[in-house]
Amino acid sequence: MKKFIQKCALAVLLLILVNVIAFFVLMAVNPMLKKVQESANFKNQKFDLLVFGNSMTVDGIDCDYLSKKGINSYNLATNGSHMCSSLLQLKAYLKNNAKPKIVIIGLPSATGKSLLNPVPYPNPLVDFFYEPNLKNCVLNPPPVNLRWLYVESLKIVVSKAHRESKIVRGQWKSPKVIADETSFQNKKTEFYYDNADFQEFISICKNEGIQVIPIEMPGSNANRNSLPYNYPIELADQSQLKLYNLNNYEVSSQFIDPKNDWLAPDHLNQKGGAKLTAFVYENILKPQIAEHD
Amino acid sequence: MLFNSYPFFVFFAVVFGLYWWVFNKNVKAQNFVVLAASYFFYAWADWRFSFLLLGVTILNYFLGIYINRSEKPMTRKILLNIGLLQGIGGLAFFKYYNFFVTSIADAFALIGVQVSLQTLNIIVPLGISFFTFRTLSYLLDVEKGKVKPITDWISFFTYVSFFPSLLSGPIDKARTFIPQLEKLRVFNYDMAADGSRQILWGFFKKIVVANNIAPLTNEIFTNYQTLPASSLWLGAVLYAFQIYADFSGYSDMAIGFSKLLGFNITKNFDNPFFAQSIPEYWRKWHISLTAWLTEYVFTPLSITFRDYDKLGLILAIVGNFVIVGIWHGANWTYVFFGLFHGLYFIPSILNGTMNKKIKTDKTKLWPTLTESFNMARTFFVIMLTFVIFKADSMAHAFGYYKHMVSTSIFSIPVIDFASVAIVLLFSLLMFGTEWKHRYQDHGLVLSEPMDLKRWGFYLLLMLSLLFFGAFGENQFIYFQF
């Protein structure tokens, strides 16, 4: 029995040791982890525009393009995020940096409630870097809690498209191309704009004098709708906020090429992201900046 | 409580400690620890069903004793039939009532008669098929005099509810399991180490291979109408890998945890995807179920039909496999799954090769061309039949088959290639390791004497589990049966 217990203990110790080493390797090689780490450490930044959301927004909003157009911007969206994590990121950013003029929230209703799910599910990666604490690290050890990143890192080894992808100003720029073979079905979309974290997010921005632009991100053909290009959403203080519905089939079909602009279902590749961002710049940001000036 | 959950680890650690350090001097005390742990384990899922388990066990305990005591054959038959009625009746009610009712209504609808029959909102008790088969085999064996009735209630209750194999087998027969309960278990390092290795191997198969394949196959089977045929073929192959990794992984864990408590339970899988014919495949897949059905269904059926020569054998096999199918659940897909497997036996019955045992050369690293062809042919048939098993209905299955044979078979599959590459890499590791150890007790009986090499491999598996394991809420596929 003693020998058995000794061997089990040895196995556990070995595992912990290798885990710690592997975690440091991950920190060195995983681009998404490096992005969140970098953004959590932002100090005295003066971005004009920040972008929040989940993976559809990580891939879809090209802040490099916007910066070249004179809008100094950064895409803070993170894969698989819920609005509660975006809220955490916003608060941390405002605490340590100059407030931005504009905030874009990429809403992914095309694919379901995810970001605005009534039940919040914090992104472990955001939690780890934005709110590090010992209790959390013990209960949810980072190597285990961030395990999906190892699968993502392995994809870099097995897939050329992953190797050629990079993070630029927070956007995941991927050259990978898959065709969207689905067809428009005028999907009935359910919205969750009354989500408490979403409402608090907007309320903070309003109080800070930051302009909020919510955008419904375009999904694959089958997940798009025919709702108006823009419509008002109700806020907790009874006021309204204009939302831009780029998931409207006719609008998004003007700039998205179903054959060349996707890297995965509902996720734009770098070409698609550039086209979407150009559309946002020309039709939403430029008029508003001109009006403001 | 899933084997791959934190509560189970805490639970097992407590049981292990009590079993080997506190109650290790007395066989009854050891059995009682296992029994109490088994009921706790079962009640954790739904405490109400532990009363069902208790009731079934009490009834069968007394039936066993009275069947043996009774000297009149008629009384013995009556007592046996009470037990069979309870077992089969329980299964029929919990698993098949709604299926019977809707099938009857559908049959009447075909001849234009509308029948309104009430379906019930029934929750199927976990593991009912497994503990029922244990009690049935016990009563049949007692009636035939193959085993003596168990008078020690703790032993009998432990046999029926033994927690490592309670929810998804393997289905042990009383005559192999009870003798182990009668002897004091003494801690054996080699057995415990082997059990730990088998648990690790089971975890790897379930958490790394099966759970990572699950979202891919779910997506393909759900969206089969919009995907190219090449994706559907890939989906069919991956599903065969998934169900094998899932169920054999569970069995490895069950056997491993049993070994940690000093029990040897029935082997359930013997590398079925290396089988070179369908009969051989069924000697290697879910061995405890096929052995059970062979003894209690196929043999009596083949005796009944013995006058019809090969036709009788075909009838017995097909009947047996329809029961294999129905055992899995109340859906026509399972009936057809069993039926097709029964029909696949016909060629080997006709050419007399049904019982032919084919072994590959132990010393060779690679199979010969003929062996490879036979394995590929057998896998191809099995893989296609698993489409029915996975489908929600026969319409779904036929729709899937129909889309599989379109011209888009030559197009590039629409799928997340990186995810597929990763699961194929792990599947290769799984099958490669099992091929190398195909004549061993399980996939992780490593023969390498070098500790460093062995430990390196264990570490690789543990790291795969931690970094690539999908620990979500994916239940074991066979829990539903």
Side-chain angles (χ1 to χ4, degrees):
Chain A
M1 178 63 92
K2 197 177 161 192
K3 188 180 167 191
F4 181 71
I5 299 293
Q6 278 173 347
K7 290 258 173 140
C8 288
L10 179 68
V12 172
L13 277 176
L14 196 61
L15 199 58
I16 291 171
L17 180 71
V18 175
N19 258 290
V20 171
I21 296 168
F23 182 64
F24 282 105
V25 172
L26 185 69
M27 283 183 71
V29 300
N30 189 283
M32 187 51 73
L33 191 142
K34 280 202 262 189
K35 169 192 164 176
V36 179
Q37 188 185 20
E38 175 192 69
S39 61
N41 292 327
F42 276 157
K43 287 263 181 331
N44 305 318
Q45 294 286 336
K46 290 175 183 167
F47 289 116
D48 300 319
L49 183 148
L50 291 176
V51 180
F52 293 86
N54 69 6
S55 58
M56 287 172 78
T57 312
V58 175
D59 301 329
I61 302 288
D62 186 342
C63 285
D64 194 37
Y65 175 92
L66 292 177
S67 297
K68 282 175 185 158
K69 293 285 179 186
I71 306 173
N72 182 19
S73 55
Y74 193 90
N75 187 332
L76 282 170
T78 47
N79 292 347
S81 266
H82 183 268
M83 204 65 212
C84 65
S85 295
S86 302
L87 189 59
L88 181 65
Q89 287 178 289
L90 176 72
K91 285 177 181 171
Y93 183 86
L94 292 179
K95 201 172 154 187
N96 299 316
N97 304 278
K99 65 183 179 189
K101 290 175 191 146
I102 301 170
V103 156
I104 290 178
I105 309 175
L107 298 167
S109 302
T111 55
K113 47 193 171 186
S114 55
L115 188 82
L116 301 184
N117 198 312
V119 181
Y121 50 91
N123 183 319
L125 190 55
V126 173
D127 267 10
F128 181 69
F129 285 113
Y130 279 78
E131 259 189 347
N133 66 65
L134 191 63
K135 189 184 163 196
N136 205 3
C137 283
V138 172
L139 289 176
N140 300 301
V144 178
N145 206 22
L146 306 177
R147 93 167 70 79
W148 86 93
L149 290 174
Y150 291 97
V151 180
E152 292 303 314
S153 303
L154 194 62
K155 284 181 183 174
I156 296 169
V157 179
V158 298
S159 148
K160 191 176 172 225
H162 270 76
R163 283 195 297 279
E164 288 173 350
S165 305
K166 53 186 183 286
I167 296 257
V168 181
R169 284 185 176 255
Q171 186 210 6
W172 177 250
K173 280 179 180 275
S174 172
K176 185 180 172 186
V177 179
I178 65 154
D180 175 11
E181 305 279 0
T182 63
S183 54
F184 178 59
Q185 292 161 15
N186 195 11
K187 189 182 174 187
K188 295 256 181 300
T189 314
E190 285 185 73
F191 300 107
Y192 301 87
Y193 302 133
D194 58 349
N195 178 284
D197 294 311
F198 179 61
Q199 293 283 342
E200 188 185 343
F201 187 100
I202 294 170
S203 166
I204 290 173
C205 290
K206 278 181 84 177
N207 291 340
E208 294 283 341
I210 303 165
Q211 189 189 354
V212 183
I213 303 176
I215 290 174
E216 281 292 355
M217 297 295 289
S220 305
N221 280 331
N223 288 331
R224 286 188 223 164
N225 57 39
S226 57
L227 291 168
Y229 166 56
N230 58 51
Y231 52 85
I233 54 173
E234 301 288 330
L235 299 180
D237 62 2
Q238 312 295 318
S239 62
Q240 291 186 328
L241 181 68
K242 192 199 263 183
L243 177 140
Y244 293 87
N245 178 24
L246 298 187
N247 195 35
N248 171 296
Y249 180 70
E250 281 183 18
V251 172
S252 51
S253 296
Q254 290 172 29
F255 57 87
I256 293 177
D257 170 6
K259 293 261 179 270
N260 295 306
D261 289 348
W262 299 98
L263 75 95
D266 305 300
H267 291 72
L268 292 163
N269 60 21
Q270 65 182 33
K271 270 189 203 162
K275 288 181 187 174
L276 169 69
T277 312
F279 184 90
V280 170
Y281 174 73
E282 292 295 337
N283 297 282
I284 302 171
L285 294 173
K286 209 166 148 187
Q288 293 198 14
I289 292 166
E291 191 183 314
H292 192 263
D293 291 342
Chain B
M1 203 179 336
L2 299 174
F3 285 166
N4 54 313
S5 65
Y6 287 126
F8 182 80
F9 272 91
V10 175
F11 160 80
F12 193 79
V14 172
V15 173
F16 187 84
L18 288 172
Y19 187 79
W20 290 119
W21 282 302
V22 183
F23 298 99
N24 57 341
K25 301 280 187 278
N26 180 301
V27 66
K28 283 213 168 191
Q30 275 188 330
N31 290 349
F32 190 77
V33 172
V34 178
L35 175 61
S38 298
Y39 271 82
F40 180 83
F41 175 81
Y42 196 64
W44 184 276
D46 191 331
W47 61 271
R48 292 168 298 177
F49 291 129
S50 50
F51 292 102
L52 174 78
L53 178 64
L54 184 68
V56 166
T57 314
I58 292 171
L59 177 71
N60 283 279
Y61 171 71
F62 285 110
L63 283 174
I65 291 171
Y66 287 113
I67 286 172
N68 183 256
R69 272 191 203 164
S70 171
E71 286 175 4
K72 290 182 189 166
M74 181 57 86
T75 315
R76 291 166 71 93
K77 283 273 176 225
I78 289 170
L79 291 171
L80 175 67
N81 285 335
I82 291 171
L84 295 181
L85 195 68
Q86 173 277 311
I88 297 166
L91 278 180
F93 175 73
F94 282 109
K95 283 185 76 170
Y96 305 109
Y97 174 81
N98 286 340
F99 175 64
F100 288 144
V101 164
T102 48
S103 297
I104 290 167
D106 289 347
F108 274 106
L110 282 178
I111 52 167
V113 181
Q114 293 301 320
V115 183
S116 173
L117 293 169
Q118 188 72 39
T119 55
L120 299 174
N121 191 16
I122 302 169
I123 304 169
V124 182
L126 279 175
I128 187 169
S129 308
F130 295 92
F131 67 73
T132 300
F133 270 39
R134 261 184 224 145
T135 54
L136 288 178
S137 71
Y138 167 70
L139 290 186
L140 287 161
D141 284 357
V142 169
E143 201 272 333
K144 287 201 167 18
K146 287 183 184 173
V147 292
K148 286 182 183 167
I150 305 153
T151 49
D152 172 22
W153 69 272
I154 296 178
S155 291
F156 183 72
F157 281 48
T158 309
Y159 160 64
V160 177
S161 65
F162 185 60
F163 75 87
S165 56
L166 176 60
L167 301 184
S168 282
I171 307 163
D172 274 287
K173 288 174 189 150
R175 58 178 181 264
T176 58
F177 193 82
I178 294 290
Q180 299 184 62
L181 286 168
E182 289 167 351
K183 285 184 287 186
L184 182 77
R185 270 82 62 193
V186 179
F187 187 82
N188 177 316
Y189 171 79
D190 289 334
M191 193 178 186
D194 190 50
S196 306
R197 280 192 289 266
Q198 197 160 0
I199 291 167
L200 176 62
W201 188 236
F203 268 98
F204 172 76
K205 282 156 88 175
K206 165 65 186 165
I207 308 293
V208 180
V209 182
N211 283 6
N212 277 317
I213 294 177
L216 298 169
T217 52
N218 287 342
E219 193 185 323
I220 293 170
F221 274 79
T222 306
N223 303 313
Y224 72 95
Q225 285 167 312
T226 55
L227 291 169
S230 51
S231 293
L232 305 196
W233 281 95
L234 187 64
V237 172
L238 287 177
Y239 184 67
F241 290 178
Q242 181 196 341
I243 194 160
Y244 168 70
D246 189 284
F247 191 25
S248 71
Y250 176 87
S251 295
D252 279 329
M253 289 182 225
I255 295 168
F257 284 117
S258 305
K259 283 179 181 170
L260 282 179
L261 297 176
F263 290 93
N264 267 314
I265 61 173
T266 310
K267 186 176 181 174
N268 222 12
F269 288 86
D270 185 16
N271 305 304
F273 287 168
F274 304 145
Q276 297 184 53
S277 68
I278 293 292
E280 193 196 359
Y281 166 79
W282 278 105
R283 286 194 289 272
K284 291 166 171 280
W285 177 276
H286 204 172
I287 297 167
S288 65
L289 176 71
T290 41
W292 196 101
L293 288 167
T294 301
E295 183 170 350
Y296 302 108
V297 178
F298 170 70
T299 305
L301 276 179
S302 55
I303 292 168
T304 308
F305 297 133
R306 67 189 153 201
D307 296 338
Y308 301 99
D309 196 27
K310 284 185 176 171
L311 178 65
L313 195 55
I314 289 170
L315 287 174
I317 282 281
V318 172
N320 188 50
F321 273 93
V322 168
I323 291 172
V324 168
I326 292 173
W327 178 90
H328 285 93
N331 193 326
W332 284 105
T333 52
Y334 297 128
V335 177
F336 279 98
F337 171 79
L339 177 68
F340 285 147
H341 270 285
L343 296 175
Y344 298 152
F345 273 71
I346 293 176
S348 50
I349 293 172
L350 295 178
N351 64 25
T353 57
M354 191 176 92
N355 293 318
K356 190 179 166 191
K357 290 195 174 152
I358 315 154
K359 292 228 165 188
T360 51
D361 189 342
K362 251 188 219 187
T363 56
K364 281 188 182 164
L365 182 61
W366 301 102
T368 62
L369 255 175
T370 316
E371 286 166 354
S372 305
F373 173 75
N374 288 342
M375 284 181 213
R377 185 185 57 183
T378 309
F379 177 78
F380 182 75
V381 174
I382 288 158
M383 171 201 79
L384 285 180
T385 318
F386 270 134
V387 170
I388 306 176
F389 196 87
K390 168 77 174 163
D392 300 326
S393 63
M394 285 311 289
H396 183 188
F398 285 126
Y400 195 98
Y401 285 137
K402 197 176 148 196
H403 281 83
M404 278 176 101
V405 288
S406 75
T407 49
S408 56
I409 192 170
F410 301 109
S411 64
I412 296 168
V414 174
I415 193 101
D416 178 356
F417 277 101
S419 300
V420 171
I422 289 169
V423 296
L424 288 178
L425 197 72
F426 285 124
S427 302
L428 188 69
L429 179 65
M430 174 179 76
F431 287 122
T433 308
E434 295 205 330
W435 170 259
K436 197 175 172 211
H437 303 114
R438 62 194 179 279
Y439 290 108
Q440 306 280 10
D441 200 25
H442 57 86
L444 211 55
V445 180
L446 298 186
S447 47
E448 285 78 6
M450 260 183 71
D451 255 10
L452 204 63
K453 200 171 169 187
R454 271 197 300 124
W455 276 80
F457 194 69
Y458 299 153
L459 195 63
L460 174 74
L461 295 181
M462 287 192 268
L463 292 178
S464 305
L465 267 167
L466 276 177
F467 300 154
F468 304 108
F471 284 84
E473 288 299 307
N474 278 333
Q475 283 220 342
F476 292 93
I477 294 174
Y478 263 68
F479 270 16
Q480 61 189 296
F481 308 134

